[in-house]
Amino acid sequence: MSQFSFSQALLTWFDQYGRHDLPWQVSDNPYKVWVSEIMLQQTQVKTVLKYFDRFIERFPTVVALGNASWEDVAPYWAGLGYYARARNLHKAANQIVQMGGELPQNFEEWIALPGIGRSTAGALMSLGLRKYGVIMDGNVKRVLARFFAIENDLSKSVHEKEMWALATTLCPTERNHDYTQAIMDLGATVCTPKKPLCLYCPMQAHCKAHQQGLENELPFKKTKKPVPIKQANVLLLKCEDTWLWYQRPSLGLWGGLWSLPIYDHEVQSEYEALQLPSSQLEFQIKHSFTHFTWLLDTHCINITHDQKQHITDQIGGEWISLDEAKKRGIPTAMQKIIKHYTMLTLDEKHYL
């Protein structure tokens, strides 16, 4: 297939079946495209849609985001995960404000900002500024690897360079922004990682992987190493309508978000030294990160008013309502604990 026919087949499909109503698909607001591109890294569209409008409503411009503190920004990313993305987005916005508040207008300026790599910069040029740009996200890699039956290990730099060269050759200058959205849409909705919908694919007749029955084998996948499992104790300390929460350090895991007190099993002695009342309820939840899985043993303890100050002196933190904690921003693992606790306590009341 020639460059023209590949792009034309993709654009013809996109005009009829592509996604045209996403909230960041606007021709005059590269800031919205930037926020969406950062949110969409390693995150599905359906998840990002739950966060995007709320984030933009609170930080409608790069100036508003750059002038905000990280403590203001963190709650609007809470639950979306991969918080380094948000910290880099905030840092980059701050840099732009310091340089006058104007968004970059060329590839070199975009890629110089924190958290923006070659593919994201290409997307911002194409989708944000409607200029020429080439992308290489997971969707593009999958579409091209299958279409050309590329069996190489794409995690190796030499093969990564080859994929970039191929993507650049295929990428048209006319309707560049539509082509960029089209190839992402094809990968996200038809040429999916599992059970691709080849019957509905505009590339099916020319797809080498489909011809060879390799569509479920490509792109090449390295064998994943098992992630380590860690354990920790979580204290759900409750006094009437308030719980004990503390703000995580701005750097590191869940930076700037609010969490229930956590003690790693390696510092079990520190947890035991607290001499807390006995748990009324205990349960375990599992929460997975890319680099490890956490088993969180949750101890639910009711605290009386005369015990509050003693516990605060030992642990620190603030006694605030659950609604207030959610408003300040809590990570997904804490949301899981709340959901499980609520379910168990409701079941208990129903049983009684």
Side-chain angles (χ1 to χ4, degrees), residues 228-276:
I229 296 176
K230 300 181 181 181
Q231 285 188 277
N233 290 300
V234 178
L235 301 181
L236 198 163
L237 303 174
K238 191 169 181 287
C239 181
E240 294 183 351
D241 293 330
T242 62
W243 300 18
L244 187 62
W245 296 85
Y246 76 102
Q247 189 174 26
R248 303 276 299 189
S250 59
L251 297 178
L253 186 68
W254 299 336
L257 299 182
W258 287 75
S259 170
L260 300 169
I262 298 178
Y263 293 87
D264 292 339
H265 277 223
E266 286 76 6
V267 289
Q268 183 79 10
S269 58
E270 184 179 344
Y271 161 65
E272 293 171 348
L274 296 174
Q275 296 182 328
L276 295 167

Side-chain angles (χ1 to χ4, degrees), residues 85-106:
R85 297 180 298 172
R87 286 193 285 270
N88 280 329
L89 175 64
H90 179 239
K91 184 178 179 181
N94 185 259
Q95 288 183 15
I96 289 172
V97 168
Q98 291 178 5
M99 293 186 293
E102 295 296 324
L103 288 169
Q105 294 298 305
N106 61 58

Side-chain angles (χ1 to χ4, degrees), residues 41-285:
Q41 291 172 359
Q42 298 179 288
T43 306
Q44 293 182 336
V45 168
K46 64 181 181 181
T47 301
V48 170
L49 287 171
K50 300 174 185 176
Y51 290 84
F52 180 79
D53 285 341
R54 181 170 172 262
F55 190 94
I56 292 296
E57 184 178 349
R58 174 62 182 83
F59 309 107
T61 65
V62 67
V63 173
L65 179 60
N67 285 332
S69 67
W70 170 245
E71 286 70 25
D72 289 335
V73 175
Y76 290 85
W77 202 278
L80 195 53
Y82 302 100
Y83 296 100
R85 297 180 298 172
R87 286 193 285 270
N88 280 329
L89 175 64
H90 179 239
K91 184 178 179 181
N94 185 259
Q95 288 183 15
I96 289 172
V97 168
Q98 291 178 5
M99 293 186 293
E102 295 296 324
L103 288 169
Q105 294 298 305
N106 61 58
F107 180 87
E108 290 73 23
E109 290 175 346
W110 277 117
I111 205 168
L113 293 172
I116 297 182
R118 183 177 177 181
S119 184
T120 302
L124 290 167
M125 290 298 296
S126 178
L127 301 173
L129 298 174
R130 304 297 171 99
K131 298 179 180 180
Y132 181 78
V134 183
I135 68 166
M136 181 59 69
D137 70 350
N139 289 312
V140 177
K141 282 184 180 180
R142 187 164 57 254
V143 169
L144 297 185
R146 286 174 176 168
F147 185 81
F148 292 99
I150 297 170
E151 300 184 41
N152 298 324
D153 180 354
L154 301 183
S155 65
K156 294 184 177 179
S157 59
V158 61
H159 301 312
E160 177 89 1
K161 290 178 182 178
E162 292 169 355
M163 291 294 285
W164 270 106
L166 178 60
T168 302
T169 300
L170 294 169
C171 189
T173 53
E174 295 294 324
R175 294 189 65 188
N176 179 270
H177 66 281
D178 282 341
Y179 174 87
T180 298
Q181 188 65 53
I183 198 165
M184 288 194 296
D185 283 2
L186 188 73
T189 64
V190 176
C191 195
T192 50
K194 297 178 181 179
K195 299 180 180 179
L197 305 175
C198 299
L199 181 64
Y200 302 98
C201 182
M203 308 303 188
Q204 183 205 61
H206 302 273
C207 177
K208 292 183 179 180
H210 181 68
Q211 292 168 0
Q212 300 173 34
L214 295 174
E215 55 265 60
N216 287 307
E217 308 300 322
L218 298 176
F220 172 85
K221 302 175 186 67
K222 287 189 3 181
T223 303
K224 289 185 178 180
K225 295 180 180 178
V227 296
I229 296 176
K230 300 181 181 181
Q231 285 188 277
N233 290 300
V234 178
L235 301 181
L236 198 163
L237 303 174
K238 191 169 181 287
C239 181
E240 294 183 351
D241 293 330
T242 62
W243 300 18
L244 187 62
W245 296 85
Y246 76 102
Q247 189 174 26
R248 303 276 299 189
S250 59
L251 297 178
L253 186 68
W254 299 336
L257 299 182
W258 287 75
S259 170
L260 300 169
I262 298 178
Y263 293 87
D264 292 339
H265 277 223
E266 286 76 6
V267 289
Q268 183 79 10
S269 58
E270 184 179 344
Y271 161 65
E272 293 171 348
L274 296 174
Q275 296 182 328
L276 295 167
S278 299
S279 302
Q280 283 78 36
L281 180 65
E282 295 184 348
F283 58 85
Q284 184 184 81
I285 70 144

